Amino acid sequence: MLPISDYHMHTPLCGHASGEPAEYADAALKSGLQEIGFSDHAPLFSHKDPGIAMDLSQLPGYHRTIEDIREKFSARLTVRIGIEADYMPGYEKETRAMLAAYPYDYVIGSVHFIAQWGFDDPIQLMEWDKKDVNTIYREHFKLIRQSALSGLFDILGHVDLVKKFDFHPTEDMSEEIEENARTFKKAGVVVEINSSGLHKPAGEIYPSQAHLKAYRKQGVLITFGSDAHKPQQVGRDFDKARDWALAAGYDNYVMFAKRKIVKTVKL
Ligand SMILES: [Zn+2]
Ligand SMILES: [Zn+2]
């Protein structure tokens, strides 16, 4: 069966998504989903960028809007309130306080920055030429492990986002991948299968089969997310995402409420 829940979608508050939340919910119903979760980009503490994330002052409005959608669609669709928060070393305290201030169903932790460098930002693409690709991969994975161990997050988003622009390591990363898997299991975090990678230069779902197989071996659980930045992207490529999970040995995924796993669903 296709996944019935999509846990990764944005709202215009982040400055680079379009469409009203109600349109995302409508699109979800049309594509046969039974549950969605909004997970817009949480305010950044390192710097302000209205094109990347909402401002702290917009957070109450975000919650009001999603609560409203939850109410309106309650008879037809389960709507969860999540958020996608950046992991940045040094800002754990602020992030923890922000996340504790609202009743989330789940929090997705993502790494979009190595130090201050937005490595997945097309505007900062030329930085890739100045650095060693293997070092970038190792730094990224180290941050991902730190994010898992921080205790801030329930789900880790697009854990091999570093492949987005189709730059790949020239050295073997299997040790890193194994260490990631062990760390995720130890930390009790769930990993997201994110279908948006298919529409990026990498042309592949996040994370790769090598990652997923290692997680499966360790017993790390999964969720599904389209990372929709437009209503028509809700649930996109979930047939491929399901096949991707099955190919790595997964036969189920989990659903959240109030920051706890409440259901396991068969694929
Ligand atoms: Zn985004
Ligand atoms: Zn992201």
Side-chain angles (χ1 to χ4, degrees), residues 8 41 84 110 112 158 227:
H8 198 147
H41 295 284
E84 180 182 17
S110 290
H112 301 103
H158 45 58
D227 213 340

Side-chain angles (χ1 to χ4, degrees), residues 48-69:
K48 278 185 196 260
D49 188 338
I52 285 185
M54 70 177 91
D55 188 76
L56 203 51
S57 64
Q58 295 174 299
L59 203 47
Y62 172 65
H63 284 269
R64 275 198 304 275
T65 305
I66 309 304
E67 290 285 0
D68 194 37
I69 295 296

Side-chain angles (χ1 to χ4, degrees), residues 5-253:
S5 56
D6 183 345
Y7 273 3
H8 198 147
M9 60 193 69
H10 294 272
T11 82
L13 288 176
C14 68
H16 61 277
S18 59
E20 291 311 310
E23 297 176 88
Y24 286 70
D26 277 328
L29 284 172
K30 273 196 202 102
S31 59
L33 292 166
Q34 294 177 24
E35 178 162 322
I36 58 167
F38 286 89
S39 50
D40 207 6
H41 295 284
L44 293 169
F45 294 103
S46 52
H47 62 290
K48 278 185 196 260
D49 188 338
I52 285 185
M54 70 177 91
D55 188 76
L56 203 51
S57 64
Q58 295 174 299
L59 203 47
Y62 172 65
H63 284 269
R64 275 198 304 275
T65 305
I66 309 304
E67 290 285 0
D68 194 37
I69 295 296
R70 195 207 291 259
E71 189 100 339
K72 274 199 187 105
F73 283 82
S74 61
R76 294 172 290 161
L77 185 70
T78 302
V79 177
R80 301 288 180 204
I81 306 184
I83 199 153
E84 180 182 17
D86 275 84
Y87 177 71
M88 285 181 140
Y91 296 98
E92 289 90 344
K93 220 177 109 194
E94 292 85 346
T95 307
R96 194 175 305 279
M98 172 182 72
L99 297 174
Y102 294 93
Y104 291 103
D105 287 310
Y106 59 86
V107 176
I108 299 178
S110 290
V111 173
H112 301 103
F113 297 92
I114 295 173
Q116 295 295 318
W117 175 39
F119 64 87
D120 81 317
D121 184 351
I123 297 165
Q124 301 182 54
L125 190 54
M126 54 287 180
E127 288 297 310
W128 276 90
D129 292 336
K130 300 181 195 157
K131 294 178 163 67
D132 169 52
V133 68
N134 298 305
T135 309
I136 296 170
Y137 266 73
R138 290 207 169 85
E139 285 179 359
H140 181 250
F141 291 145
K142 192 174 163 205
L143 284 166
I144 293 275
R145 289 193 292 273
Q146 285 177 10
S147 77
L149 293 170
S150 72
L152 292 167
F153 313 115
D154 308 304
I155 302 168
L156 299 187
H158 45 58
V159 291
D160 64 349
L161 179 64
V162 68
K163 76 181 175 197
K164 177 176 173 178
F165 295 121
D166 212 21
F167 300 126
H168 294 280
T170 55
E171 292 168 18
D172 180 21
M173 290 288 150
S174 46
E175 275 296 315
E176 292 278 339
I177 292 170
E178 291 294 331
E179 202 182 333
N180 288 354
R182 287 192 297 270
T183 306
F184 298 168
K185 179 63 187 172
K186 188 173 117 192
V189 291
V190 172
V191 165
E192 163 195 84
I193 297 197
N194 182 313
S195 56
S196 75
L198 288 167
H199 301 272
K200 301 295 187 305
E204 184 182 86
I205 289 170
Y206 306 110
S208 76
Q209 282 292 313
H211 286 259
L212 265 189
K213 282 179 179 154
Y215 306 158
R216 175 73 194 90
K217 218 170 77 194
Q218 290 293 333
V220 176
L221 304 173
I222 54 166
T223 58
F224 287 91
S226 63
D227 213 340
H229 285 72
K230 292 187 178 93
Q232 60 266 37
Q233 294 170 353
V234 172
R236 184 162 65 158
D237 295 316
F238 269 23
D239 51 342
K240 291 177 186 143
R242 173 203 53 202
D243 292 347
W244 199 244
L246 290 171
Y250 280 96
D251 62 2
N252 62 46
Y253 58 101

